[in-house]
Amino acid sequence: MNIKDLDLNLLRLFDAVWRTRSVSLAAQQLGMSQPAASQGLARLRAVLGDALFERSGAGVRPTPRADRLAQAVQLALGTIEDALNVSQVFDPQRSARVLRVHLSDIGEARFLPELVLALQYHAPGMRLEALPLPHDKIAPALDNGQLDLAIGFLPEVNDTLQQPLLSDRYVVLMRQGHPVAARWQQLQNAGTAPDTAHALLAELEFAAVRTHSDTLRILELMHWQHRLRLTVSHFLSLPGIVRGSDLAVLMPRNFAQGFAEAGALALIEPDLPLRDFTVSMHWSQRFDKDPCLQWLRGTVSSLFSTIPNTLEVKP
């Protein structure tokens, strides 16, 4: 076949269907009707002489040839996007763009207040949407433009560019006056052996967040999972529960400190497995040169980064 026989829009359609595994979702992302998308795929199949996609459950599955074409098509589209973006001058004061960012519930509380203020001052016409997704959906959503940025501790998210923002660690939060909190402080002051301190912590009963698997994993590694008494959907409900009960919770220190400083809660920092972690921002290679998203990442970095700016590619 000759390249002159190919419509660039058909390549964009192919890419969207390959990424979403759905003709209807691809049509929605491209702003076209599903019949138009189906007709476009039929044209592309005729030109290439291959089915490209086959029905699979509620969506479609690429053929071997479609899988071979996908990387080349993505590279070609990315090259064109980069070339077009080079000449763009982004003015945040005049932009009305909608920015979509993945954040957990605790991430929304940690990052959104300052980020919203920055947007109100520097980009008053822009709109921000927090769009939490399951971790296995984040990289595809970044790649197909459903998300612009993801911020958090996301070790399961692969095939993205990422920049570390800040270091954090899990601590134990409990009510002020909890018997374990007082005894823990006494042991710390006396320089007691870690085994004795961990035995004390084993007396605690815990609450946890089901979507934060690392806290559940820490309980398992410490053999405390049988002490789990409450599982909830969001971190934000836990400080009030902990304040009025003898339950303890594993929580990121940067977030827990605010509750402890507000009173009625105590924070202790035992030496736990998996306690240290890094919060990063993730984005797609496809949109690395987008001027608006470069500005967004720079804004996030300037507001929150406490780690030297090192770009990583996570395969």
Side-chain angles (χ1 to χ4, degrees):
M1 65 162 291
N2 195 302
I3 191 66
K4 67 180 178 61
D5 299 322
L6 205 55
D7 182 341
L8 178 61
N9 288 321
L10 296 183
L11 294 183
R12 294 178 64 240
L13 174 62
F14 169 85
D15 181 51
V17 175
W18 189 89
R19 291 176 186 280
T20 62
R21 300 298 199 265
S22 167
V23 177
S24 59
L25 284 178
Q28 182 180 350
Q29 288 182 6
L30 296 175
M32 59 195 305
S33 67
Q34 183 165 345
S38 298
Q39 293 170 10
L41 276 183
R43 290 170 55 201
L44 192 58
R45 286 169 172 146
V47 171
L48 297 177
D50 188 87
L52 296 178
F53 300 98
E54 303 165 342
R55 291 190 180 277
S56 177
V60 294
R61 173 179 65 188
T63 66
R65 185 172 184 196
D67 278 331
R68 291 195 299 271
L69 281 172
Q71 186 172 1
V73 168
Q74 291 162 12
L75 180 62
L77 292 175
T79 300
I80 293 171
E81 287 173 355
D82 287 348
L84 294 174
N85 287 334
V86 164
S87 62
Q88 293 180 9
V89 176
F90 175 69
D91 182 357
Q93 288 285 339
R94 301 180 62 182
S95 176
R97 184 159 171 175
V98 179
L99 301 172
R100 297 178 175 88
V101 180
H102 164 88
L103 290 162
S104 67
D105 65 312
I106 199 169
E108 290 183 6
R110 171 68 179 83
F111 297 107
L112 283 185
E114 290 180 70
L115 185 54
V116 167
L117 284 177
L119 289 180
Q120 287 180 340
Y121 183 78
H122 296 289
M126 296 178 75
R127 197 173 83 211
L128 183 64
E129 292 184 2
L131 187 64
L133 293 178
H135 288 188
D136 62 340
K137 305 294 185 185
I138 291 175
L142 289 169
D143 223 25
N144 65 33
Q146 182 185 359
L147 275 179
D148 297 309
L149 195 65
I151 303 174
F153 174 50
L154 305 168
E156 307 95 337
V157 176
N158 300 312
D159 300 319
T160 62
L161 298 179
Q162 63 171 288
Q163 179 188 327
L165 291 176
L166 54 91
S167 298
D168 206 344
R169 67 172 40 171
Y170 288 110
V171 299
V172 180
L173 192 69
M174 63 189 78
R175 68 173 177 83
Q176 281 281 12
H178 194 295
V180 169
R183 290 163 60 197
W184 172 269
Q185 191 59 53
Q186 293 171 358
L187 291 176
Q188 293 296 100
N189 293 339
T192 306
D195 289 346
T196 305
H198 284 155
L200 173 62
L201 293 178
E203 299 176 13
L204 289 170
E205 295 185 324
F206 290 90
V209 181
R210 64 174 57 89
T211 54
H212 288 255
S213 58
D214 283 319
T215 59
L216 298 173
R217 180 64 177 148
I218 290 172
L219 293 179
E220 291 177 4
L221 292 172
M222 296 301 295
H223 306 291
W224 296 340
Q225 65 269 32
H226 65 287
R227 309 289 293 179
L228 183 61
R229 296 290 178 262
L230 173 67
T231 306
V232 299
S233 300
H234 305 290
F235 264 121
L236 294 179
S237 65
L238 288 176
I241 294 170
V242 169
R243 189 179 294 113
S245 71
D246 279 341
L247 294 179
V249 61
L250 292 167
M251 183 176 284
R253 181 177 59 183
N254 282 336
F255 196 64
Q257 282 177 325
F259 292 113
E261 291 167 0
L265 291 170
L267 182 156
I268 63 175
E269 299 191 34
D271 184 11
L272 299 172
L274 305 181
R275 71 171 183 172
D276 295 306
F277 61 94
T278 300
V279 174
S280 300
M281 59 178 171
H282 297 248
W283 66 96
S284 170
Q285 175 77 57
R286 290 189 67 209
F287 301 103
D288 185 49
K289 300 294 175 52
D290 183 302
C292 174
L293 301 186
Q294 286 181 330
W295 175 86
L296 172 63
R297 296 193 299 268
T299 299
V300 170
S301 181
S302 66
L303 288 174
F304 306 112
S305 181
T306 61
I307 297 176
N309 188 349
T310 56
L311 176 66
E312 300 178 11
V313 179
K314 190 170 182 184

